Amino acid sequence: MGFIHDIKDRREPGGLRWGVEPMCAVLTQYGITIAPSTYYEWVGKQPTARERRDEELAEMVTRVFTDNFSVYGARKVWLALRREGVEVARCTVERLMRALGLRGAHRGLTCRTTIADDADPLACDLVHRHFAPAAPNRLWVADA
C-alpha cells in the first residue's frame, strides 16, 4: 500500500500521470492482487483506539525512561507511570518499550570480547563433518 501511496499522482515529463487503478492493474498482472477499493480504504482508515492510546503512552514511557537515566526496565517504568496516576498494563509497557527500542540496564555479561572477522578464512574441515568414529581414540578434534 505504501508503494502505491508514494507513487500515485506522480507525473512524467510527457504528461503521463500514475493513477491508483492502473498501478493496481499492473500489480495484478504480476501476481500481487490489490483492488483499488482496498487502497482507498487503507488511506481513509482512522487510527484505532489502541493506536491512539499507544501514541500517548509512547511519549510517557519515553519521558519516564529518559528522566531516569535510561536505566529503567519495563517493570520500573510501569511502576513510575502508576505512581503518576496513569492506568496502564505492564504488558503494554513491555510491548511499547520493545517497539521503541528502549531497554533498561541489566546485570550480567554485557561486554562482548570476541567478535568474528568476516574477512578471515574459515578453518579447514579435516573430518568432513563426520564426528562418529568407529572406535575410541580414532578421531580427535582440537584447535590448532
Side-chain angles (χ1 to χ4, degrees):
M1 294 298 169
F3 172 76
I4 295 173
H5 188 69
D6 292 341
I7 295 180
K8 78 173 182 74
D9 295 332
R10 184 176 289 174
R11 291 198 177 273
E12 291 293 321
L16 178 67
R17 184 180 69 85
W18 295 81
V20 174
E21 289 81 8
M23 279 194 287
C24 289
V26 170
L27 287 173
T28 302
Q29 290 174 357
Y30 286 99
I32 304 170
T33 307
I34 299 174
S37 60
T38 306
Y39 167 77
Y40 289 119
E41 179 183 344
W42 176 78
V43 168
K45 185 175 93 172
Q46 297 295 322
T48 63
R50 177 181 170 174
E51 291 170 344
R52 289 192 302 269
R53 174 85 168 139
D54 282 353
E55 287 177 12
E56 296 170 7
L57 288 175
E59 294 173 7
M60 290 186 235
V61 166
T62 305
R63 179 185 48 80
V64 169
F65 182 76
T66 54
D67 287 350
N68 292 289
F69 306 105
S70 302
V71 296
Y72 272 15
R75 181 176 173 272
K76 286 192 175 185
V77 170
W78 172 68
L79 290 171
L81 288 172
R82 297 278 306 225
R83 278 193 301 272
E84 292 176 3
V86 178
E87 290 295 323
V88 60
R90 192 169 97 185
C91 60
T92 303
V93 174
E94 292 169 355
R95 179 176 52 80
L96 288 174
M97 286 185 70
R98 199 175 314 115
L100 294 168
L102 304 178
R103 184 175 174 198
H106 60 280
R107 295 181 183 149
L109 297 175
T110 57
C111 181
R112 186 173 165 197
T113 59
T114 305
I115 300 172
D117 185 10
D118 293 334
D120 254 359
L122 295 176
C124 296
D125 184 10
L126 300 177
V127 296
H128 306 293
R129 300 286 176 228
H130 180 68
F131 295 105
N137 288 328
R138 294 289 173 102
L139 175 65
W140 286 53
V141 180
D143 271 344

